[in-house]
Amino acid sequence: MGVEEQRAGKFYVERDVLDELCLDQVARRRTHSTTPPLKERVKDSLRCSMPKLKRSVLSTLPVLSWLPRYSVRDNGLGDLISGISVGIMHLPQGMAYALLASVPPVFGLYTSFYPVLVYCILGTSRHISIGTFAVISIMIGSVTERLAPDSDFTFLNGTNGTAVLDVTARDAYRVQIAASTTVLSGLFQVLLGMVRFGFVVTYLSEPLVRGYTTGAATHVVVSQLKYIFGIHPARFSGPLSQVYVNICRHLPETNIGALVVSLVALVVLIVVKELNSCYEKKLPLPIPIELIVIVAATLISYYGNLNSQYDVAVVGEIPRGLKSPSLPDVSLWGTVVGDAFAVAIVGYAINISLGKTFGLKHGYKVDSNQELVALGLSNTVGGFFQCYSVTSSMSRSLIQESTGGRTQVAGVVSSVIVLITVLQLGTLFGELPKAVLSCIVFVNLKGMFKQYLDIPALWKSNTVDLLVWLVTLVCTILLNLDLGLAASIAFSLLTVIFRTQLPRYSILGQVPGTELYLDTDTYEEAKEIPGITIFRSSTTVYYTNAELYLDALQKKSGIDVGKLLTRKKKRDAKQKRKDKKEEKKQIQAKPQFTPEQSNIRSLCQSKVNWAYEQQWTGLDLGSETGSHGDDAITQTSSTVGEEKRGRSSKTHTIILDLSTASFVDTVTVMMLNNIFRDYREIDIDIYLAGCQGEFCVVEQLSRASFFSESIPKSRLFTTVHDAVLHSLRLQGASDLTGVPC
């Protein structure tokens, strides 16, 4: 298809040239704001009515908006099958991820029960599966192992002098730490949601989140190697902890039984999961290989006595029943406040990104603030029942969607599966090898490690995002999860600041026969209009880049205002000295006149001086009337070598395109004032264009007293083309040739 065939058509517009004053009259700018005053808004928020009460209740308890209309016929079977499938996944993942959190596996099952029920009532997403997640689990594990290391619970046996680890006391304290951290993180999320602070997650860009989860996956792998090899390395916590993990030094102590169990489990899990992926469309349900492996490994371990004969670490006794609620240890909050906030932000970022993905796919809205409250209450309530922090899981959510789940009834069904396991079947998994749970964790990290493929994709699309991804990965690995997140966010924000500090500055030229003005370096057909320089920045001008903007304007326009003003002052001073010498000579050579002759002589001299002054002060008159001294401009332009730059030496107008500006601060206003003042001194007119669309820009300029007699609103034009036509009309009709009016 040719270029001619692709054109949609032509349009013709005939209108007057519009500056800001004319635009106000034509478009009839409102003199008052349409937003109600603060007093009225406060009254409206406090005013109560039945429709408003209903909306408030439904927004707070979303379950009331869909449960009364729930159709068992349309959704019942799909939710049942989906809930059973997700519940089966909860069992192995809950126990496996509990090892990441450094708590007994049964607490992973608790975490897969209580928070899920709370989210079903308060959540707005219909497809995500709340529960344990590897990244959040390892973040909690870093806190529990830092505050409750093995060394604090090791004592010497008085009989043989060997070191004995009190596992029971250690696990009890770690559960207490995890629960306290979870409650505090939940409270953070609830408070942020109540103050409508759901937008905070926008500061976590997608490259940052993906780089962070990839780095966290590295922590997960390192933390689970001890179960794979059956070794007991010393664990370090704090910055650069991954560097000090001495796995290699303990490899000679590898437990052969644990390694064999791990290798067999890994092979089986990987092969069957790949078969599930290959035959996804043909299988009615994915093969629950994780549950099958757990059951098989438990039977083999029980009948083969792997724990007693081969010293293979097993889960141990799993108590039957649920834990009664208990208050968290508030005294720990001061120690874990930073970790709790990091868990709250990361958990919410993962949850809302996954929820909005499914919401867009299935055509419903996910309320970011309500999601923050729902996730916060899930964590808070779960913390009272000794659960640790939760968020949504990609693998379980995909299973919940692909198996027919349409509402959070599927979450209730999955909770029932977990409840039956905890009440009746949990004790049967006491002989399950921990190595098998670690293998389940490894296999489920496949999606996170596939994120390394982001590197070549980002290299092609955006190098700054690639830099954010890599820095986040390195910081997360070397500085641990909490400090890594803080450093990554700081670096990500710095990239935004640097990009606004180093924008692209352009000189615009007109595309012949159109009103379009494009970058002359990018478009060959964009030609500069003789005598007019059009300057644009690619971003908002504010205090961090205002000086750079001014320097770029002088460099791009080829007009060094400082040098020109200095030379003008020297020229004026030289002329004054010359005038004084001439005056002295005239006085010395002056003949004697009669009084009448003296008066006539004085009148003539005053007329000559007035004409001479007008010759040199014409630039002020020119800036007001639109007439310009071409000889003066030619002389000053040649002093800075404009002809070498290929720009016309008779520049009479500079137009600043502010179409990219979203706000102006006091530094910008001062800079614009200085530009108008300095360029007026060298007989160059300055016009602003393109900022009328942003009402706040014009309003901010007015509030800052920018407009005055020397800078009237008539200097601000609707478009660049309006400013060009106005400037050329002042120069004379002959200059309008070739410019469409």
Side-chain angles (χ1 to χ4, degrees):
M1 181 178 293
V3 176
E4 294 295 334
E5 297 179 10
Q6 295 178 4
R7 291 180 177 174
K10 298 181 180 180
F11 70 93
Y12 300 92
V13 177
E14 182 177 354
R15 63 172 175 82
D16 295 332
V17 173
L18 295 178
D19 57 26
E20 186 64 23
L21 293 175
C22 296
L23 179 66
D24 290 348
Q25 297 176 359
V26 172
R28 298 176 61 186
R29 170 171 286 180
R30 292 187 175 92
T31 57
H32 61 279
S33 175
T34 57
T35 304
L38 178 61
K39 184 178 180 181
E40 292 297 326
R41 282 181 284 171
V42 172
K43 286 183 178 180
D44 184 66
S45 63
L46 298 177
R47 191 176 294 113
C48 185
S49 63
M50 287 303 298
K52 187 176 181 180
L53 179 62
K54 182 180 178 180
R55 288 195 302 269
S56 300
V57 172
L58 292 180
S59 62
T60 306
L61 299 173
V63 67
L64 299 179
S65 63
W66 60 265
L67 187 59
R69 301 194 302 269
Y70 184 79
S71 174
V72 177
R73 180 178 179 180
D74 296 335
N75 304 326
L77 182 60
D79 286 339
L80 179 62
I81 297 175
S82 176
I84 294 174
S85 302
V86 173
I88 291 173
M89 292 185 67
H90 267 303
L91 301 179
Q93 289 187 4
M95 291 189 288
Y97 292 155
L99 297 182
L100 296 178
S102 299
V103 296
V106 69
F107 290 93
L109 296 179
Y110 298 155
T111 305
S112 301
F113 175 66
Y114 291 107
V116 176
L117 293 177
V118 177
Y119 184 82
C120 290
I121 299 173
L122 300 172
T124 59
S125 176
R126 305 172 191 172
H127 294 90
I128 63 174
S129 173
I130 292 293
T132 56
F133 186 63
V135 174
I136 301 299
S137 299
I138 194 65
M139 294 179 75
I140 295 294
S142 65
V143 181
T144 56
E145 293 199 3
R146 185 182 76 241
L147 298 182
D150 291 345
S151 58
D152 290 355
F153 300 91
T154 303
F155 60 92
L156 294 177
N157 191 329
T159 305
N160 52 18
T162 59
V164 178
L165 177 63
D166 188 352
V167 177
T168 304
R170 181 202 64 183
D171 289 347
Y173 190 50
R174 286 182 175 179
V175 169
Q176 192 175 13
I177 295 171
S180 298
T181 306
T182 298
V183 171
L184 184 57
S185 67
L187 291 177
F188 277 136
Q189 290 170 332
V190 172
L191 291 175
L192 291 175
M194 292 178 65
V195 297
R196 319 299 291 177
F197 215 64
F199 68 89
V200 70
V201 75
T202 57
Y203 292 101
L204 303 181
S205 64
E206 184 177 359
L208 187 148
V209 173
R210 292 176 71 86
Y212 183 78
T213 53
T214 306
T218 306
H219 284 267
V220 172
V221 169
V222 173
S223 68
Q224 295 303 292
L225 288 177
K226 59 183 178 181
Y227 298 114
I228 297 292
F229 292 102
I231 57 180
H232 303 282
R235 182 177 176 88
F236 298 88
S237 61
L240 307 180
S241 63
Q242 295 298 321
V243 178
Y244 300 107
V245 176
N246 49 2
I247 297 293
C248 296
R249 187 164 60 89
H250 288 272
L251 285 180
E253 306 169 7
T254 299
N255 186 314
I256 302 301
L259 183 59
V260 171
V261 170
S262 301
L263 293 176
V264 173
L266 278 174
V267 170
V268 173
L269 286 168
I270 292 174
V271 170
V272 177
K273 278 186 170 288
E274 289 300 319
L275 289 176
N276 280 338
S277 300
C278 293
Y279 298 98
E280 179 182 1
K281 296 182 179 180
K282 296 182 180 181
L283 293 174
L285 292 174
I287 301 173
I289 187 59
E290 295 173 338
L291 183 61
I292 294 173
V293 167
I294 282 181
V295 173
T298 302
L299 293 175
I300 294 173
S301 176
Y302 178 76
Y303 290 106
N305 296 321
L306 298 183
N307 179 246
S308 58
Q309 292 190 12
Y310 302 100
D311 197 25
V312 176
V314 296
V315 170
E317 182 182 358
I318 297 180
R320 178 177 294 179
L322 299 173
K323 291 284 186 180
S324 58
S326 60
L327 293 175
D329 189 354
V330 181
S331 62
L332 294 171
W333 284 2
T335 309
V336 301
V337 59
D339 302 279
F341 188 77
V343 169
I345 297 300
V346 174
Y348 172 64
I350 296 171
N351 189 79
I352 193 62
S353 61
L354 196 57
K356 288 195 172 183
T357 299
F358 284 113
L360 290 173
K361 182 178 180 179
H362 294 277
Y364 61 88
K365 181 181 179 181
V366 176
D367 188 342
S368 58
N369 291 303
Q370 179 60 27
E371 283 294 298
L372 195 51
V373 173
L375 189 62
L377 286 177
S378 298
N379 283 322
T380 303
V381 174
F384 282 100
F385 288 94
Q386 300 181 358
C387 303
Y388 60 89
S389 293
V390 297
T391 189
S392 56
S393 166
M394 172 67 81
S395 59
R396 292 195 307 270
S397 299
L398 289 175
I399 293 297
Q400 182 167 320
E401 182 211 22
S402 61
T403 53
R406 296 184 178 179
T407 67
Q408 280 299 330
V409 171
V412 177
V413 175
S414 68
S415 298
V416 173
I417 301 296
V418 175
L419 178 62
I420 294 173
T421 304
V422 171
L423 295 179
Q424 300 296 331
L425 305 177
T427 55
L428 301 178
F429 295 106
E431 292 297 321
L432 173 64
K434 290 184 178 179
V436 174
L437 295 178
S438 296
C439 292
I440 293 174
V441 173
F442 274 22
V443 173
N444 284 314
L445 291 177
K446 174 187 174 183
M448 292 189 189
F449 284 116
K450 285 180 68 176
Q451 293 177 157
Y452 278 104
L453 297 176
D454 292 350
I455 294 177
L458 291 175
W459 175 262
K460 295 178 182 179
S461 61
N462 194 311
T463 53
V464 176
D465 284 344
L466 174 61
L467 189 60
V468 171
W469 196 99
L470 293 174
V471 170
T472 302
L473 175 70
V474 173
C475 290
T476 304
I477 293 176
L478 298 183
L479 301 179
N480 269 0
L481 298 173
D482 49 356
L483 294 177
L485 178 63
S488 303
I489 294 175
F491 179 79
S492 180
L493 294 178
L494 283 176
T495 60
V496 177
I497 295 174
F498 287 147
R499 276 188 278 190
T500 59
Q501 279 188 304
L502 301 173
R504 179 176 180 178
Y505 298 106
S506 307
I507 293 295
L508 304 185
Q510 184 198 27
V511 178
T514 72
E515 81 290 352
L516 302 179
Y517 293 83
L518 304 177
D519 185 3
T520 55
D521 293 335
T522 304
Y523 297 92
E524 295 180 359
E525 291 300 319
K527 306 297 182 182
E528 293 185 50
I529 298 176
I532 299 178
T533 298
I534 306 169
F535 182 73
R536 182 177 67 189
S537 169
S538 62
T539 187
T540 296
V541 184
Y542 65 115
Y543 69 96
T544 63
N545 59 13
E547 186 174 353
L548 298 175
Y549 182 90
L550 190 57
D551 293 340
L553 173 61
Q554 296 189 19
K555 182 179 179 181
K556 288 284 187 178
S557 64
I559 301 174
D560 192 331
V561 179
K563 289 184 179 180
L564 293 180
L565 289 176
T566 302
R567 295 192 180 194
K568 179 177 180 298
K569 289 179 181 179
K570 290 181 179 180
R571 185 175 64 248
D572 291 344
K574 183 178 179 179
Q575 187 64 36
K576 287 183 179 179
R577 290 194 299 269
K578 186 177 180 180
D579 291 344
K580 288 183 179 180
K581 290 181 180 180
E582 292 291 334
E583 186 177 354
K584 288 182 180 179
K585 290 181 180 180
Q586 292 177 1
I587 293 176
Q588 292 176 357
K590 181 175 64 173
Q592 298 297 325
F593 295 102
T594 62
E596 291 79 6
Q597 293 174 328
S598 297
N599 291 335
I600 296 174
R601 175 70 178 176
S602 176
L603 179 61
C604 296
Q605 181 67 39
S606 65
K607 290 183 178 180
V608 171
N609 289 339
W610 178 86
Y612 185 80
E613 289 174 0
Q614 289 300 310
Q615 176 183 354
W616 290 106
T617 60
L619 73 156
D620 284 329
L621 289 173
S623 64
E624 295 296 329
T625 64
S627 59
H628 300 271
D630 290 345
D631 295 337
I633 293 297
T634 302
Q635 180 180 359
T636 55
S637 299
S638 62
T639 59
V640 295
E642 282 189 71
E643 293 178 357
K644 294 181 181 180
R645 294 180 174 87
R647 190 178 308 284
S648 172
S649 61
K650 297 182 179 180
T651 301
H652 54 75
T653 301
I654 293 179
I655 300 172
L656 304 181
D657 183 3
L658 300 182
S659 58
T660 58
S662 58
F663 67 93
V664 290
D665 57 9
T666 54
V667 175
T668 306
V669 174
M670 292 175 59
M671 180 201 69
L672 291 175
N673 269 309
N674 292 337
I675 289 175
F676 272 88
R677 180 198 62 201
D678 294 341
Y679 281 88
R680 185 187 303 116
E681 291 293 324
I682 59 173
D683 198 18
I684 294 180
D685 290 336
I686 300 293
Y687 297 107
L688 306 181
C691 61
Q692 84 291 336
E694 296 287 347
F695 177 76
C696 61
V697 174
V698 180
E699 183 67 21
Q700 289 168 1
L701 289 174
S702 299
R703 290 181 179 179
S705 301
F706 173 75
F707 299 110
S708 60
E709 292 184 2
S710 59
I711 310 176
K713 274 193 175 183
S714 58
R715 295 276 178 165
L716 176 59
F717 285 88
T718 307
T719 65
V720 171
H721 194 56
D722 286 293
V724 169
L725 293 178
H726 174 77
S727 175
L728 293 180
R729 187 170 287 110
L730 290 181
Q731 299 305 311
S734 59
D735 291 337
L736 294 173
T737 305
V739 179
C741 297

